[in-house]
Amino acid sequence: MQLADVVATRSNCIRRSVGAVLVQDKRIIATGYNGTPHGVKNCDEGGCSRCTDREKGKLKSGEREELCVCIHAEQNAVIQAALHGVSTKGASLYTTIPPCSQCAKILINAGIKQVFYRKDPHFTEGIKLLQSAGVQTIIKLD
């Protein structure tokens, strides 16, 4: 989990810094943090108008999420594994917050078997979805 915290420091999102680490057979296979896609201006440089509007109070939490161009940390970790030809089947994910429902769907179909996360009362739907698919979810207290 400490490595996920370090990975989160790479985030360029102005709303929240999130880190994720994929592990298989006690080996790190990929990491991910939230931010804009390659080639798109960083969020903290104005690259994501939705994040900017949320920061200015123009949008409420959960409103117009389709406008956000930032990629979630969990998504980036799975993408990095795919980009480098590393299978995620049977892997465990450590993430600094619970995955959202969109990330949960990706993790399920990527074959992730365990998700370690810190408890956050705002993110519950993704955990429910993971559990319904038989993915083991474990709250980390550190």
Side-chain angles (χ1 to χ4, degrees), residues 13-14 30 57 74 77-78 88 90 97-98 107 118 125 127 129 133 141:
C13 182
I14 60 175
E74 303 91 334
V78 171
T88 57
I97 64 170
L107 297 172
R118 289 198 185 94
E125 294 305 311
I127 296 301
L129 187 56
L141 301 175

Side-chain angles (χ1 to χ4, degrees), residues 90-133:
S92 297
L93 179 86
Y94 292 80
T95 182
T96 56
I97 64 170
C100 70
S101 58
Q102 293 298 318
C103 287
K105 290 185 271 187
I106 290 168
L107 297 172
I108 292 164
N109 279 3
I112 306 304
K113 294 300 177 198
Q114 291 181 312
V115 175
F116 296 85
Y117 64 98
R118 289 198 185 94
K119 190 172 184 175
D120 185 318
H122 298 102
F123 300 96
T124 58
E125 294 305 311
I127 296 301
K128 290 177 189 173
L129 187 56
L130 289 167
Q131 291 170 342
S132 72

Side-chain angles (χ1 to χ4, degrees), residues 10-24:
R10 298 274 300 138
S11 171
N12 64 53
C13 182
I14 60 175
R15 297 290 305 151
R16 175 189 313 256
S17 294
V18 180
V21 178
L22 275 170
V23 176
Q24 194 166 52

Side-chain angles (χ1 to χ4, degrees), residues 10-119:
R10 298 274 300 138
S11 171
N12 64 53
C13 182
I14 60 175
R15 297 290 305 151
R16 175 189 313 256
S17 294
V18 180
V21 178
L22 275 170
V23 176
Q24 194 166 52
D25 299 324
K26 299 181 182 182
R27 238 183 48 235
I28 296 170
I29 60 171
T31 63
Y33 53 89
N34 60 320
T36 55
H38 292 287
V40 175
K41 186 189 298 187
N42 286 338
C43 182
D44 58 8
E45 297 169 340
C48 181
S49 60
R50 184 193 182 268
C51 286
T52 301
D53 286 347
R54 275 281 291 127
E55 198 66 12
K56 291 179 179 177
K58 293 180 180 179
L59 293 174
K60 296 176 184 171
S61 180
E63 190 175 24
R64 303 298 312 264
E65 288 182 341
E66 74 279 4
L67 298 177
C68 184
V69 298
C70 294
I71 299 173
H72 292 187
E74 303 91 334
Q75 294 169 344
N76 250 336
V78 171
I79 290 166
Q80 288 303 308
L83 183 67
H84 296 286
V86 179
S87 174
T88 57
K89 186 176 182 180
S92 297
L93 179 86
Y94 292 80
T95 182
T96 56
I97 64 170
C100 70
S101 58
Q102 293 298 318
C103 287
K105 290 185 271 187
I106 290 168
L107 297 172
I108 292 164
N109 279 3
I112 306 304
K113 294 300 177 198
Q114 291 181 312
V115 175
F116 296 85
Y117 64 98
R118 289 198 185 94
K119 190 172 184 175

